Amino acid sequence: MSTEQIAQTVDAKGLSCPMPIVKTAQAIKGLDSGQLLEVLATDAGSVKDFAAWAKTTGNPIVEQSADAGVYRFVLQKK
Amino acid sequence: MTLVAEPPVPATEPAPAAEDAAEAKPRDILIICYSGELEKTWATMILATTGAAMGAKVRVFLTFWGLQSFVKDGKRITGQNVMQKMMSFMQRPGISHRKLSKMNFLGMGPWMMNKLAKQYNVSSPKELLEIAQAMGVEFMPCQMTMDMFGLTKDDMIEGLGEPVGAATVIALLQDGDAPLFI
């Protein structure tokens, strides 16, 4: 996904539960429907947590990857 | 030969289940914050902020030892009479003065816990409380506990809701709030 399409990035690297999710929820509030939010996290629990968050809030994960201990999620605001 | 009457056909088909049920608003959450230990206060704050982050309306009922965490950190002695003052002297109120239920060792345990939390970038209960308030988590002090410990509105941190009683808690549970007793 090209970076131009990403409206905002949340850098949650180094943060522990629950801050990656909390920061994501706060950031997505400021976006318009359809806009993309990129989240970078190093918390290993975030893979399951972001899946749960996306399911509950209805903001889907449109892209996901892991590289050298950094988990990247691209979420689309519903 | 008797004819068995056909059961009446319902006039209308049952309404199909809403397709967006999965996207329906999550259940409200009611945390009954009863305990005042550091680790339990931490759990309350983590679950409250996460609940709000997941789109749920979160309410926290503050009662017994749990209410002591919501006294201003700067207050040392609270209460109107000698016994209430002694209670606050024996257990310092405020969210930054919580003790561990195990391994407290005169404050060594909490000190190490806070040190580890900083090292691993875990937000403190105080930081999480501020975030929870900013995210719209509603904190409801228990009127009876306020009275019993001689606490006044001025003793408590800013932004708490009006004091309520057990009936408010039960009504929320009857409404289907997901309950957590911590």
Side-chain angles (χ1 to χ4, degrees), chain A residues 46-67:
Chain A
S46 58
V47 175
K48 290 238 176 204
D49 278 0
F50 274 88
W53 182 83
K55 184 170 175 272
T56 306
T57 60
N59 302 296
I61 299 174
V62 292
E63 204 179 290
Q64 183 174 346
S65 59
D67 181 34

Side-chain angles (χ1 to χ4, degrees), chain B residues 143-164:
Chain B
Q143 180 67 65
M144 179 272 277
T145 310
M146 298 265 300
D147 294 343
M148 194 168 74
F149 285 92
L151 295 168
T152 63
K153 200 167 183 238
D154 178 59
D155 291 324
M156 312 308 294
I157 61 163
E158 301 294 321
L160 299 185
E162 285 302 307
V164 297

Side-chain angles (χ1 to χ4, degrees), chain B residues 38 42 96 98-100 103-119:
Chain B
L38 174 61
W42 224 320
S96 300
R98 303 293 85 206
K99 292 175 180 174
L100 286 171
M103 306 186 297
N104 194 61
F105 296 125
L106 300 168
M108 266 288 274
W111 179 80
M112 286 195 284
M113 195 85 160
N114 289 326
K115 194 109 178 136
L116 284 170
K118 276 212 180 73
Q119 191 180 336

Side-chain angles (χ1 to χ4, degrees), chain A residues 21-26 28-29 49 52-59 77-78, chain B residues 22-29 46-59 135-137:
Chain A
I21 289 286
V22 167
K23 283 193 176 284
T24 299
Q26 287 173 328
I28 209 147
K29 266 195 191 153
D49 278 0
W53 182 83
K55 184 170 175 272
T56 306
T57 60
N59 302 296
K77 173 137 179 181
K78 71 169 173 187
Chain B
E23 287 182 29
K25 206 181 171 302
R27 253 171 103 184
D28 287 5
I29 297 169
I46 291 169
L47 292 168
T49 49
T50 306
M54 295 186 78
K57 170 76 196 167
V58 181
R59 296 180 186 88
M135 293 181 97
V137 173

Side-chain angles (χ1 to χ4, degrees), chain A residues 1-2 6 16-17 26 31-33 36 45 52 58-63 70-71 73 76:
Chain A
M1 191 153 295
S2 65
I6 287 163
S16 293
C17 170
Q26 287 173 328
L31 298 190
D32 295 326
S33 182
L36 299 177
N59 302 296
I61 299 174
V62 292
E63 204 179 290
V70 177
Y71 303 92
F73 305 91
Q76 185 166 38

